[in-house]
Amino acid sequence: AAGETPAGLERVPPELRQRLQRGLACLERLQQLRPQHARAPLDQACPTRIGRFEIRCPLGRGGFGIVYRAYDPVLCREVALKIPRADVLVDDGGRARFEQEARAAAGLDHPNLVPVFEAGRLGPICFIALAYCPGSDLATWFRQRKAPVRCLDAARLVRTLARAIHYAQDRKSVV
């Protein structure tokens, strides 16, 4: 995805090499087509308010949209406010997927899943307000480590993640 040919391509079996090269070409093309705003730095100007939510700072950006740390003065608490990009909601299918995600997430109650407080629409802007969980994400935690994760710790982490995913999958058909 970084535009580099993977080291050891010559060790890939010949029958898989062409498939791998097509996959890499596809990734390169997708990177070119990715909207500029999805690649924009998080430190660019952000709104100060969305509805009643007072925006503190951006937390993360993905292909779907951006998540802000915000303050909810009505309930006196910090929240993570997920806002999809406008082009995601252009058609009814995108809006339906977003609303489905909100309903599915709101129906989950598990100690290792972030709870949904509210979902709604403020004019053309849709949002999901989730519990704000301070600290780094898993990818940052791994990058900051100076030594490999101990096997027992890795196994516990995988167990925790697997249980949360299993819980969510079990409830998928409910929504």
Side-chain angles (χ1 to χ4, degrees), residues 7-166:
L9 186 61
E10 65 281 349
R11 293 190 311 259
V12 174
E15 65 272 12
L16 296 177
R17 194 172 298 148
Q18 185 178 14
R19 187 172 168 196
L20 178 61
Q21 288 173 325
R22 282 195 318 265
L24 289 171
C26 181
L27 282 173
E28 185 176 325
R29 181 67 180 136
L30 286 171
Q31 185 66 22
Q32 292 168 353
L33 294 172
R34 188 173 173 205
Q36 282 300 116
H37 50 76
R39 291 181 265 173
L42 283 175
D43 58 358
Q44 71 185 136
C46 70
T48 56
R49 180 177 289 280
I50 295 176
R52 74 173 192 259
F53 300 100
E54 300 167 5
I55 304 301
R56 302 283 198 227
C57 64
L59 293 173
R61 182 185 310 272
F64 189 79
I66 189 163
V67 178
Y68 295 102
R69 185 172 138 228
Y71 179 72
D72 180 351
V74 172
L75 298 175
C76 300
R77 62 181 169 194
E78 296 287 317
V79 299
L81 197 62
K82 183 174 184 175
I83 309 290
R85 292 189 333 260
D87 61 310
V88 170
L89 302 176
V90 165
D91 64 0
D92 291 336
R95 182 168 278 115
R97 280 189 302 279
F98 182 76
E99 291 168 354
Q100 172 72 13
E101 176 189 345
R103 278 192 303 277
L108 301 176
D109 182 18
H110 189 275
N112 299 112
L113 296 174
V114 178
V116 171
F117 294 147
E118 180 180 349
R121 191 182 295 176
L122 303 163
I125 299 173
C126 293
F127 70 91
I128 300 175
L130 306 114
Y132 171 64
C133 302
S136 66
D137 60 35
L138 192 56
T140 303
W141 182 78
F142 275 119
R143 279 194 306 274
Q144 291 173 342
R145 297 191 56 80
K146 299 196 182 340
V149 178
R150 294 179 333 143
C151 292
L152 184 59
D153 294 334
R156 285 181 179 139
L157 176 61
V158 170
R159 179 185 63 195
T160 299
L161 294 171
R163 286 179 174 166
I165 292 168
H166 178 72

